[in-house]
Amino acid sequence: MTRYRPPVGVPRFGGLVTFSRLPHVTSTDGVDFAIVGVPFDLGASFRNGQRFAPAAVREASRLTGMYHPVHQINVYDHASGVDFGDAPVFPSDLERSLRSIEEFVSPLARAGVVPIAIGGDHTIPLPLLRPLAREHGPLALVHFDAHSDTDDTLYGTRVNHGTTFRRAAEEKLIDPQRSIQVGLRGSLASAEEFAAARALGLELIEAHEMFRMGAEAVAARIRRRMDGARAYLSFDIDFVDAACVPGTGTPEVGGPSSRETLELLRALAGLDFAGFDLVEVLPSQDSGGITALLAANIIFEFIALLAVRRRGA
């Protein structure tokens, strides 16, 4: 069987820009996971330009390797991966873009390939979850973010990066009783914002609680909440402190460092994820490319979680 991995002995600065120099393949044969670019930002409400993030994160990913020293695993020995390319979008048509993204990801879901999406703004989990939920049923949501994204409307619209997970719950794409949001913080429009998320059935770990608990305790809470269910992991880069990620659309201070973020993700080893996304990178505000570099390394952590799970199986 064909297995896909990055090349060995090829200079990192050469060749086509795919994620971690993975082959660009549009077949699902022999593929365990597929990187999907989603250059969409029609749902952003403050700064936009997230449509340029897939290219920036792929460029930064040239520096990611194959061996994970903490998990002690060559990830590509256990997970065959490709860069599936970018989902087609329509820059002036939100609904048509979401349908196009869903159609692009559907063959992966049907084939049992795990999509790892590079957004784009945080509207994109909606078209990603739809085909995954058709195959697996409602998924547990593991959501890292400074914001809950459970508004009913934002500036008069029902589909945008601030309403994603309310719509996902309404469409029964996620199971709120097995879902959890981590890292929420910042000043709010009202006390109802977090209350509304809890009213949907979601469990919340706000940032001040997260710091008090530590990575292992947070991971234990996530495991208990999932209760053995398959999950979808959605990671908004503004989960991380604004000092570490200047390149994002709605930055928030008071978050974890890049080191603390990686520690938390590594503590999720062994969990069963059907899909991932990394969203809200904004290259135009990214000093020195440090946000895109962290994003690329977070995606490497996603791949490592898949590899550790497959090694255990």
Side-chain angles (χ1 to χ4, degrees):
M1 178 190 295
T2 300
R3 293 189 61 83
Y4 298 105
R5 63 176 66 215
V8 176
V10 177
R12 294 179 183 272
F13 51 81
L16 295 175
V17 184
T18 60
F19 186 87
S20 200
R21 303 179 301 149
L22 287 167
H24 173 45
V25 173
T26 56
S27 165
T28 59
D29 294 338
V31 178
D32 299 319
F33 74 88
I35 302 294
V36 176
V38 189
F40 172 92
D41 59 10
L42 296 178
S45 61
F46 188 51
R47 299 171 177 166
N48 62 5
Q50 294 87 340
R51 65 185 63 183
F52 300 109
V57 174
R58 284 185 172 111
E59 183 66 42
S61 76
R62 290 179 184 272
L63 286 170
T64 59
M66 293 189 253
Y67 184 77
H68 197 295
V70 176
H71 293 309
Q72 298 183 345
I73 186 173
N74 183 321
V75 299
Y76 298 101
D77 285 348
H78 300 273
S80 172
V82 302
D83 192 316
F84 204 63
D86 281 0
V89 297
F90 301 88
S92 59
D93 192 331
L94 182 147
E95 290 294 344
R96 188 180 180 194
S97 292
L98 297 186
R99 290 194 298 271
S100 178
I101 296 163
E102 180 180 346
E103 290 168 5
F104 189 77
V105 174
S106 290
L108 299 175
R110 288 194 297 269
V113 175
V114 176
I116 302 178
I118 312 173
D121 72 50
H122 217 161
T123 314
I124 71 163
L126 204 53
L128 297 169
L129 281 164
R130 286 167 178 162
L132 289 171
R134 283 197 293 270
E135 298 300 322
H136 305 292
L139 293 163
L141 172 69
V142 179
H143 176 203
F144 296 95
D145 203 331
H147 313 102
S148 70
D149 297 347
T150 53
D151 291 344
D152 186 34
T153 62
L154 184 63
Y155 302 126
T157 64
R158 289 174 51 80
V159 178
N160 55 67
H161 72 167
T163 64
T164 301
F165 297 114
R166 179 173 291 273
R167 300 288 90 83
E170 291 171 348
E171 294 184 28
K172 296 183 169 45
L173 308 178
I174 61 172
D175 179 357
Q177 301 303 320
R178 291 186 172 182
S179 298
I180 188 165
Q181 299 183 311
V182 182
L184 283 67
R185 64 186 188 277
S187 57
L188 305 174
S190 76
E192 299 305 312
E193 285 197 38
F194 292 169
R198 291 186 170 101
L200 286 173
L202 300 166
E203 181 173 347
L204 274 60
I205 302 177
E206 297 179 41
H208 63 276
E209 301 173 286
M210 176 184 71
F211 288 124
R212 187 167 60 242
M213 294 168 64
E216 290 296 336
V218 170
R221 281 270 292 275
I222 291 171
R223 292 172 191 277
R224 286 198 300 271
R225 185 67 172 174
M226 286 176 54
D227 192 27
R230 296 205 82 185
Y232 180 89
L233 194 159
S234 186
F235 194 103
D236 190 320
I237 201 69
D238 70 29
F239 170 81
V240 188
D241 191 272
C244 300
V245 290
T248 189
T250 49
E252 294 284 357
V253 300
S257 67
S258 56
R259 182 192 64 79
E260 291 165 327
T261 298
L262 298 181
E263 181 183 11
L264 182 53
L265 289 171
R266 290 165 183 168
L268 302 181
L271 297 180
D272 186 9
F273 291 106
F276 301 82
D277 69 60
L278 185 290
V279 297
E280 296 288 354
V281 172
L282 184 60
S284 63
Q285 301 291 320
D286 192 13
S287 303
I290 61 174
T291 310
L293 180 61
L294 176 57
N297 279 274
I298 288 170
I299 292 171
F300 179 71
E301 296 295 332
F302 295 166
I303 298 168
L305 291 176
L306 291 176
V308 170
R309 170 86 181 177
R310 292 178 65 83
R311 178 179 64 182

